[in-house]
Amino acid sequence: MAAAPAAAGSGAGRGRRAAGTVAAWGGWGGRPRPANILLQLRQGQLTGRGLVRAVQFTETFLTERDKQSKWSGIPQLLLKLYATSHLHSDFVECQNILKEISPLLSMEAMAFVTEERKLTQETTYPNTYIFDLFGGVDLLVEILMRPTISIRGQKLKISDEMSKDCLSILYNTCVCTEGVTKRLAEKNDFVIFLFTLMTSKKTFLQTATLIEDILGVKKEMIRLDEVPNLSSLVSNFDQQQLANFCRILAVTISEMDTGNDDKHTLLAKNAQQKKNLSLGPSAAEINQAALLSIPGFVERLCKLATRKVSESTGTASFLQELEEWYTWLDNALVLDALMRVANEESEHSQGASEENGLPHTSTRTQLPQSMKIMHEIMYKLEVLYVLCVLLMGRQRNQVHRMIAEFKLIPGLNNLFDKLIWRKHSASALVLHGHNQNCDCSPDITLKIQFLRLLQSFSDHHENKYLLLNNQELNELSAISLKANIPEVEAVLNTDRSLVCDGKRGLLTRLLQVMKKEPAESSFRFWQARAVESFLRGTTSYADQMFLLKRGLLEHILYCIVDSECKSRDVLQSYFDLLGELMKFNVDAFKRFNKYINTDAKFQVFLKQINSSLVDSNMLVRCVTLSLDRFENQVDMKVAEVLSECRLLAYISQVPTQMSFLFRLINIIHVQTLTQENVSCLNTSLVILMLARRKERLPLYLRLLQRMEHSKKYPGFLLNNFHNLLRFWQQHYLHKDKDSTCLENSSCISFSYWKETVSILLNPDRQSPSALVSYIEEPYMDIDRDFTEE
């Protein structure tokens, strides 16, 4: 998801564990002694022919074989279950049999996921494997779906209790036996039917958990518009149900493989986009539209995301939910840990009560605050993820209007200190098999999901000013007034009733925690991305000064230079943020020069830049653009900065620019271009566009040719650049959003970008500004087709 957020017990994760533990048909470490029967059943299961179910054997035969093979009586129970579950049955005996089967599987499944099973087992085959092999899974699917059959105009009914037993057994079998979840995922009518079982509160949790696992392995994304009465179903969910339903929605509204989106080549993505255009909207887009059409859906999500812990559901219902979830394995591990916290804190409070002569306090009557908080964190995780995906979808502007109207941002601001960025406590919950600092823990995942939401909310959208409070908006106006520049229109248009309240807005709170974050913190990347998104788009002097006055530039430089950050991801996010913060801003360059006040510091800074141009090229671009603007201004303050700033002096040198240009072109190729590194191509173009303005484009191309020859690779670099520019035309000339981004970030009209590329690609070898003029005939290789291999 964009990928979806790390959450307890994802179906795909359990499937992988099962795959690694249970052999295709050999079970848990035993020898396949009753091979003939089991092999035939397995073959029948794969082909649909021959032996496929327990009903094809006599009870006497199964009983005799069970004595040898220790199948725990499961085949015989399935035989009885089949006999008592026919269409005209009252299902009473059927339910009794299910209650006999259920503990045989649930104990095994709990041992499986808690990794407590021993290497040697008394039984050769797991109970769940035998249950599935003798047709138990298919039989339960039939039993559950009996109510869809109409006899003489009347619908059959089975009790909620019986549905729960069926769902529990199916889930436990999915957890322990490889392939069961995938087989269920292929039964599309069954998957759709499962959604209808969520109408009952008694079966909601079991159904939701099973659906989540099934969707986690399903190859084709399910379409929510095929779910009967979806709008009514969702509208009738209470807040807890809606929060749990968001776990399912996370799978249904995220485009496949969005988690690695930056790593996919642009060739592949462009080919996929062309294919998608012919196919129409994707299933994820259809599902997003279906949800947004449900009255009050986004409003309820905003309320869930912003409700305080004290407003969450009462103790009794939550404890009932804990009991419901107790057997749900990975989820139960989370909630079981919460119960341990509750018991420890309850015992502590009881001891204090005895000393004070006060009555005992029971866990069942008073839920500890730490437990309430973790309960709320786990719900908010899923809700924030769904809101984040919707914010990045086709209906982005519609979603933006709604979450602004429903005051999501001020609501999150009020939760910031006590819930979102609270300090870790000794009793903070961690997931099974993880530690407190693991990126998968709910506390950490909530913070990351919160930062991703802020990034999506701010990115190129005027609603970003809702992250401030009224006083901070006034400060932006004062900055513009003092600088004698017009106020940003989006600031003037911001609805003051929808902004953050309190002493600090959400952006300021984020800056405060960012400056306190430990050097090795995994949050630094996401924090920098969230703040950078606030600056993206048309450069705003007031926005930059607002952040500069709060010491952001000095903090970034400290992390890059003094702490000598080693993480490539964090460094890239800092360089990108630094570029947006300094671009065209004389005050920022003065602050930079004041901080980087020795040659030693400057050399460390340059070392960080040069260690990876893919990471730092956006900063190189911003400094190059700023230098060009400053050189064309007649101002004492600007002249002073130009004469004193080490960074501007370094970038102004032609050898420096040529070194950057050569390396930027050399590290990318058409077949390896991604959303992450395509910026290197655009930065190289910026350098050449500015050279063209000064009528120095032929000089730069001639120098590139000389550098090629000095490296003993004549034609290699310029041929590569020619291919990159041809791809640039294909990629950008039909994408309005991308062209707008290039124009806004560079303050160079897109027409100038296009003209420069056309001049460079001119086929006339007599043109002094054409690349082909500098590629010798024997080395010419410019007609290559772009295909994704």
Side-chain angles (χ1 to χ4, degrees):
M1 44 208 100
S10 66
R14 282 192 289 267
R16 283 191 294 273
R17 286 197 298 277
T21 309
V22 181
W25 61 269
W28 285 347
R31 297 188 305 276
R33 286 173 294 169
N36 289 340
I37 296 173
L38 299 190
L39 279 174
Q40 288 180 64
L41 282 166
R42 180 62 172 157
Q43 189 65 25
Q45 197 178 70
L46 294 172
T47 63
R49 297 188 300 273
L51 296 176
V52 292
R53 292 193 175 193
V55 72
Q56 292 172 289
F57 302 92
T58 64
E59 186 173 1
T60 304
F61 176 82
L62 292 175
T63 303
E64 187 62 32
R65 280 297 184 137
D66 201 354
K67 291 176 183 176
Q68 303 172 28
S69 308
K70 297 181 180 178
W71 289 336
S72 304
I74 290 173
Q76 299 95 303
L77 287 170
L78 284 174
L79 195 64
K80 292 178 183 177
L81 184 63
Y82 183 85
T84 58
S85 62
H86 55 78
L87 291 176
H88 301 287
S89 171
D90 62 3
F91 293 120
V92 174
E93 182 59 27
C94 180
Q95 190 167 344
N96 290 335
I97 297 168
L98 287 171
K99 291 195 178 301
E100 284 188 65
I101 295 173
S102 187
L104 295 173
L105 275 58
S106 62
M107 290 175 64
E108 187 174 273
M110 181 61 78
F112 184 87
V113 297
T114 55
E115 301 169 357
E116 289 174 358
R117 63 181 180 81
K118 296 178 180 178
L119 292 176
T120 55
Q121 297 281 327
E122 286 187 12
T123 56
T124 306
Y125 299 95
N127 291 338
T128 48
Y129 178 75
I130 296 300
F131 176 81
D132 177 45
L133 203 59
F134 279 89
V137 169
D138 292 333
L139 180 55
L140 289 195
V141 169
E142 290 172 14
I143 292 172
L144 280 169
M145 293 191 70
R146 292 272 160 85
T148 63
I149 301 172
S150 179
I151 299 178
R152 298 189 185 93
Q154 291 186 334
K155 290 277 187 182
L156 294 172
K157 292 183 179 179
I158 62 174
S159 69
D160 288 341
E161 198 62 36
M162 184 166 163
S163 292
K164 281 174 67 173
D165 288 338
C166 288
L167 292 165
S168 174
I169 293 170
L170 280 177
Y171 181 83
N172 290 331
T173 309
C174 286
V175 167
C176 293
T177 304
E178 181 186 1
V180 174
T181 315
K182 288 183 179 179
R183 290 211 324 271
L184 291 178
E186 291 167 2
K187 301 176 185 291
N188 205 57
D189 55 342
F190 175 65
V191 179
I192 294 292
F193 167 76
L194 281 176
F195 279 85
T196 66
L197 295 183
M198 286 194 288
T199 55
S200 168
K201 289 189 177 182
K202 290 183 179 179
T203 58
F204 176 86
L205 279 169
Q206 287 81 358
T207 310
T209 312
L210 182 59
I211 291 175
E212 184 191 346
D213 266 24
I214 289 173
L215 295 185
V217 300
K218 191 169 175 61
K219 290 181 180 178
E220 301 83 19
M221 188 176 290
I222 194 169
R223 283 184 47 162
L224 291 176
D225 58 352
E226 295 177 358
V227 175
N229 304 313
L230 176 70
S231 180
S232 173
L233 175 73
V234 176
S235 298
N236 287 326
F237 286 155
D238 61 29
Q239 291 295 74
Q240 284 190 357
Q241 288 176 317
L242 182 60
N244 276 299
F245 187 59
C246 284
R247 292 171 67 93
I248 293 169
L249 295 184
V251 182
T252 63
I253 63 175
S254 304
E255 296 289 356
M256 297 293 188
D257 296 325
T258 52
N260 294 319
D261 193 52
D262 283 350
K263 308 301 180 187
H264 289 168
T265 67
L266 293 182
L267 276 177
K269 290 174 72 173
N270 287 352
Q272 187 61 45
Q273 284 171 354
K274 286 179 183 177
K275 184 179 177 182
N276 291 345
L277 284 174
S278 62
L279 296 175
S282 67
E285 290 170 337
I286 291 169
N287 290 343
Q288 290 175 28
L291 292 173
L292 291 173
S293 68
I294 299 173
F297 175 71
V298 173
E299 181 178 10
R300 291 185 68 192
L301 289 188
C302 290
K303 286 181 178 177
L304 260 176
T306 58
R307 74 176 181 183
K308 297 177 181 177
V309 177
S310 58
E311 297 169 359
S312 57
T313 50
T315 304
S317 62
F318 182 38
L319 283 170
Q320 181 184 352
E321 184 176 332
L322 281 176
E323 291 172 357
E324 293 267 353
W325 278 55
Y326 183 76
T327 57
W328 293 95
L329 307 175
D330 280 11
N331 294 320
L333 293 170
V334 171
L335 295 166
D336 189 34
L338 287 174
M339 285 300 290
R340 286 199 299 273
V341 172
N343 289 330
E344 289 166 6
E345 297 193 8
S346 178
E347 287 168 9
H348 176 75
S349 63
Q350 284 177 21
S353 298
E354 288 173 0
E355 289 178 15
N356 298 324
L358 299 172
H360 286 232
T361 306
S362 169
T363 305
R364 292 193 171 274
T365 58
Q366 183 176 348
L367 200 63
Q369 186 70 4
S370 62
M371 198 167 176
K372 287 183 181 179
I373 288 172
M374 193 51 63
H375 170 249
E376 201 62 27
I377 281 174
M378 294 184 70
Y379 277 173
K380 282 177 168 42
L381 259 175
E382 312 299 339
V383 175
L384 289 182
Y385 179 78
V386 171
L387 286 170
C388 190
V389 173
L390 293 175
L391 262 179
M392 295 186 291
R394 280 194 176 187
Q395 290 86 8
R396 184 190 184 203
N397 287 331
Q398 177 191 352
V399 177
H400 244 292
R401 284 195 300 272
M402 287 193 284
I403 65 177
E405 178 188 346
F406 303 134
K407 297 189 174 183
L408 175 70
I409 297 302
L412 292 176
N413 189 43
N414 292 333
L415 289 174
F416 188 85
D417 290 329
K418 291 186 178 178
L419 186 70
I420 297 172
W421 224 271
R422 71 194 185 103
K423 292 181 180 178
H424 284 296
S425 62
S427 60
L429 166 75
V430 294
L431 300 184
H432 181 69
H434 299 264
N435 60 57
Q436 193 179 62
N437 296 318
C438 172
D439 281 1
C440 297
S441 74
D443 251 328
I444 289 177
T445 311
L446 177 68
K447 291 177 173 65
I448 292 174
Q449 199 54 60
F450 164 77
L451 293 171
R452 291 183 68 184
L453 179 75
L454 290 194
Q455 180 184 353
S456 303
F457 183 81
S458 301
D459 193 18
H460 294 91
H461 203 285
E462 60 184 21
N463 272 354
K464 67 184 183 180
Y465 292 106
L466 297 182
L467 296 175
L468 310 182
N469 64 17
N470 274 301
Q471 185 179 346
E472 291 163 348
L473 284 171
N474 292 338
E475 184 181 337
L476 282 181
S477 301
I479 291 170
S480 298
L481 182 64
K482 184 179 179 181
N484 197 26
I485 57 176
E487 278 193 70
V488 176
E489 194 172 336
V491 174
L492 295 171
N493 294 336
T494 298
D495 186 341
R496 296 286 183 119
S497 68
L498 302 177
V499 302
C500 295
D501 48 19
K503 293 181 179 179
R504 293 181 297 276
L506 205 44
L507 182 64
T508 303
R509 287 182 187 273
L510 176 56
L511 290 175
Q512 288 179 325
V513 299
M514 184 176 178
K515 289 162 74 173
K516 295 176 183 176
E517 206 65 44
E520 70 283 357
S521 171
S522 60
F523 298 129
R524 286 188 169 277
F525 169 82
W526 296 106
Q527 289 167 337
R529 280 281 177 259
V531 178
E532 185 213 339
S533 69
F534 181 80
L535 290 171
R536 279 188 203 148
T538 305
T539 304
S540 165
Y541 174 80
D543 292 355
Q544 290 173 324
M545 292 307 300
F546 180 85
L547 297 173
L548 286 170
K549 288 169 68 176
R550 284 158 176 78
L552 179 60
L553 183 137
E554 289 79 5
H555 173 69
I556 297 171
L557 292 176
Y558 170 81
C559 295
I560 294 174
V561 176
D562 294 318
S563 71
E564 293 195 54
C565 174
K566 298 294 190 296
S567 166
R568 302 312 317 172
D569 287 338
V570 173
L571 265 180
Q572 182 176 3
S573 65
Y574 278 152
F575 281 131
D576 290 350
L577 176 54
L578 190 61
E580 291 294 339
L581 191 61
M582 294 178 66
K583 188 166 52 178
F584 308 134
N585 192 307
V586 176
D587 298 274
F589 279 91
K590 285 188 72 173
R591 283 175 175 258
F592 176 91
N593 214 41
K594 186 176 179 181
Y595 190 93
I596 307 294
N597 56 3
T598 66
D599 286 336
K601 277 189 173 183
F602 187 57
Q603 289 307 313
V604 172
F605 185 73
L606 289 185
K607 181 183 175 184
Q608 292 281 49
I609 286 180
N610 287 306
S611 62
S612 176
L613 270 184
V614 173
D615 300 327
S616 63
N617 84 89
M618 289 299 293
L619 175 63
V620 171
R621 187 194 307 183
C622 291
V623 176
T624 304
L625 286 164
S626 300
L627 173 67
D628 181 73
R629 176 173 292 191
F630 294 160
E631 287 177 336
N632 291 300
Q633 289 178 340
V634 181
D635 183 281
M636 289 296 294
K637 189 176 179 181
V638 173
E640 182 186 346
V641 168
L642 280 171
S643 65
E644 294 179 356
C645 183
R646 287 178 172 84
L647 184 58
L648 289 172
Y650 176 74
I651 294 290
S652 68
Q653 299 169 25
V654 173
T656 300
Q657 293 179 23
M658 293 309 304
S659 173
F660 281 136
L661 186 59
F662 187 89
R663 284 183 291 155
L664 285 168
I665 298 171
N666 199 40
I667 58 179
I668 50 175
H669 310 280
V670 172
Q671 280 72 25
T672 60
L673 275 181
T674 66
Q675 199 63 49
E676 183 182 9
N677 64 25
V678 72
S679 58
C680 293
L681 175 57
N682 289 321
T683 298
S684 65
L685 266 174
V686 165
I687 294 172
L688 291 176
M689 282 191 292
L690 298 181
R692 180 189 164 207
R693 277 183 180 174
K694 298 172 183 176
E695 299 183 349
R696 302 175 78 178
L697 186 54
L699 169 65
Y700 278 54
L701 296 179
R702 196 158 53 247
L703 289 172
L704 280 177
Q705 185 189 41
R706 288 177 187 172
M707 294 173 81
E708 270 188 335
H709 281 271
S710 70
K711 299 290 184 182
K712 304 289 191 287
Y713 289 111
F716 178 81
L717 186 84
L718 293 177
N719 274 311
N720 183 50
F721 194 36
H722 195 281
N723 286 326
L724 287 166
L725 293 179
R726 284 171 56 219
F727 177 80
W728 187 95
Q729 287 182 323
Q730 292 179 17
H731 183 68
Y732 283 103
L733 295 188
H734 306 292
K735 303 181 79 177
D736 294 336
K737 182 181 177 183
D738 280 339
S739 64
T740 302
C741 291
L742 289 177
E743 197 168 57
N744 288 341
S745 67
S746 64
C747 289
I748 299 174
S749 69
F750 191 60
S751 61
Y752 199 80
W753 284 79
K754 291 190 292 184
E755 287 170 12
T756 305
V757 173
S758 296
I759 288 169
L760 288 166
L761 291 179
N762 188 342
D764 182 6
R765 293 181 64 86
Q766 304 305 312
S767 169
S769 297
L771 283 172
V772 292
S773 301
Y774 301 90
I775 306 174
E776 296 171 34
E777 194 72 46
Y779 307 113
M780 189 76 70
D781 181 21
I782 60 174
D783 298 318
R784 194 176 301 162
D785 288 331
F786 304 140
T787 55
E788 177 68 6
E789 296 176 2

